[in-house]
């Protein structure tokens, strides 16, 4: 069983930055793909960014490409999502996810964190 503990998030102004962190417990990150999803009020949960456990390949939603960066620390003990150039439409609850090491980084996630709120004011 994998438990995902998220931290970071909070309130930022448009154009600002935030940093989210996710630490898996129970199993090493190195055997899972990791990703961030988000869900805004009244909308479905959507993929934001993913990172492969095998080759550290990354994938991003078009809406965040060039602004957000997903990475892991050197020991692969946590996954970081750096949010830059934030926009009000980035406001959502952000969820960390872990899944089997498949090639498609946008699907196949079985484990989810509880979410952390990101609010961007204009």
């Amino acid at each position: 069983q994998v438990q995902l503990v998220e931290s970071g998030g909070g309130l930022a102004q448009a154009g600002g930055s935030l940093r989210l962190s996710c630490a898996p417990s129970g199993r090493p990150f190195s055997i899972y793909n990791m990703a961030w999803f988000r869900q805004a009020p009244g909308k479905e949960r959507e993929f934001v960014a993913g990172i492969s456990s095998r080759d550290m390949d990354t994938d991003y939603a078009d809406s965040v490409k060039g602004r957000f960066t997903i990475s892991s620390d050197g020991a692969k003990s946590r996954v970081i999502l750096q949010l830059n150039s934030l926009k009000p439409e980035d406001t959502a609850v952000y969820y960390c996810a872990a899944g089997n090491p498949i090639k498609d980084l946008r699907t196949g996630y079985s484990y989810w964190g509880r979410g952390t709120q990101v609010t961007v004011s204009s």
Side-chain angles (χ1 to χ4, degrees), residues 4 8-9 18 23 34-35 39 41 49 53 61 64 71-72 79 85-88 94 115-116 120-121:
L4 304 175
L18 287 171
M34 300 292 293
Q39 187 168 19
S53 62
V64 306
S71 63
S72 70
V79 176
S85 303
L86 283 163
K87 304 176 181 180
Y94 283 70
T116 184
V120 184
S121 62

Side-chain angles (χ1 to χ4, degrees), residues 21-39:
S21 177
C22 175
S25 64
R27 292 284 186 89
F29 153 59
S30 60
I31 67 173
Y32 294 103
N33 285 348
M34 300 292 293
W36 290 91
F37 288 72
R38 68 185 181 186
Q39 187 168 19

Side-chain angles (χ1 to χ4, degrees), residues 6 41 51 53 62 76 86-87 93 110:
E6 300 131 331
I51 186 166
S53 62
D62 288 344
K76 294 187 177 180
L86 283 163
K87 304 176 181 180
V93 177
S110 303

Side-chain angles (χ1 to χ4, degrees), residues 8 14-15 17 26 30 32 34 39 41-42 44 52 56-57 60 63 66-67 81 89 102 107-109 120:
S17 298
S30 60
Y32 294 103
M34 300 292 293
Q39 187 168 19
E44 293 186 354
S52 167
M56 305 307 287
D57 189 22
Y60 295 93
S63 59
R67 300 188 298 120
L81 185 67
E89 51 263 43
I102 60 175
T107 188
Y109 294 96
V120 184

